[in-house]
Amino acid sequence: MKMKLKKILINITAAVCICISLTGCTKVNENLSAKDIQKSIVETGLVKNMEETGSKGLKRYYGLNSNDFDSVVLYTPESSMEVDEMLIVKVKDKSQIEGLEDTIDNRVNSQLQSFGSYGPEQCGLLNNYELKTEGKYVFFAVSENAEKLKEAFKEAIK
């Protein structure tokens, strides 16, 4: 009985060690600003149909003040008939993340209401947005390339 219990404990310990080692491989470089990350993402050529709008856009579309965060980059649609957006925020404190995610959710819902009756393509993009939080960074994208943009974000913060 003791030998069987010992083997089970060894196997459980080994499994836990393997899981920890596999999940601990991705380190986030928290010395980057949102502008540093933006540069890496823009270099991929995936940022299309968007223009950088900065702190004025953040206030207008999200009701947020860029001074509340460490750094912010916002791209919004070139045309009022499009929904493509990309937001990169480095928060000052991780306690800001939940509120920021709620604000992003409100923005998506507002856009869905605006385009709901006449923009099925735009609603499709909005329903497939990407939102990713890593360390002190929050990334949000609405685009036909949203998943690829998210992957570029993840690469940029390594």
Side-chain angles (χ1 to χ4, degrees):
M1 181 71 173
K2 284 184 181 181
M3 203 59 141
K4 211 175 198 183
L5 184 60
K6 212 177 210 184
K7 283 183 179 179
I8 291 171
L9 287 174
I10 289 171
N11 286 335
I12 291 172
T13 303
V16 169
C17 288
I18 289 170
C19 288
I20 289 171
S21 68
L22 290 176
T23 59
C25 291
T26 55
K27 273 262 194 205
V28 174
N29 180 357
E30 293 199 353
N31 295 320
L32 300 170
S33 70
K35 286 278 187 195
D36 295 329
I37 298 166
Q38 168 198 21
K39 184 179 177 191
S40 294
I41 294 173
V42 169
E43 286 174 356
T44 65
L46 295 169
V47 179
K48 299 176 182 173
N49 304 322
M50 296 180 255
E51 59 188 5
E52 189 173 357
T53 55
S55 59
K56 286 183 180 180
L58 190 68
K59 186 71 172 169
R60 178 178 177 193
Y61 298 114
Y62 292 86
L64 298 172
N65 185 341
S66 62
N67 294 328
D68 293 340
F69 304 101
D70 192 318
S71 58
V72 176
V73 170
L74 174 62
Y75 280 80
T76 54
E78 290 177 341
S79 161
S80 62
M81 297 306 295
E82 300 298 326
V83 295
D84 298 56
E85 287 187 30
M86 181 176 73
L87 176 65
I88 306 165
V89 179
K90 181 178 182 183
V91 296
K92 290 180 180 178
D93 185 86
K94 288 185 179 181
S95 65
Q96 295 176 294
I97 292 173
E98 187 176 339
L100 182 57
E101 289 175 338
D102 289 344
T103 301
I104 291 168
D105 190 44
N106 290 339
R107 170 72 176 152
V108 170
N109 289 331
S110 172
Q111 288 287 79
L112 282 168
Q113 285 181 349
S114 295
F115 288 93
S117 61
Y118 67 90
E121 186 177 319
Q122 291 89 342
C123 288
L125 291 174
L126 287 162
N127 284 320
N128 292 304
Y129 70 88
E130 291 288 341
L131 178 62
K132 181 73 177 164
T133 301
E134 291 281 345
K136 287 187 166 187
Y137 302 107
V138 176
F139 173 83
F140 166 68
V142 175
S143 166
E144 64 183 18
N145 297 317
E147 189 172 344
K148 291 177 183 174
L149 287 165
K150 179 185 76 174
E151 293 305 317
F153 162 75
K154 288 168 51 178
E155 278 297 311
I157 61 171
K158 283 186 179 177

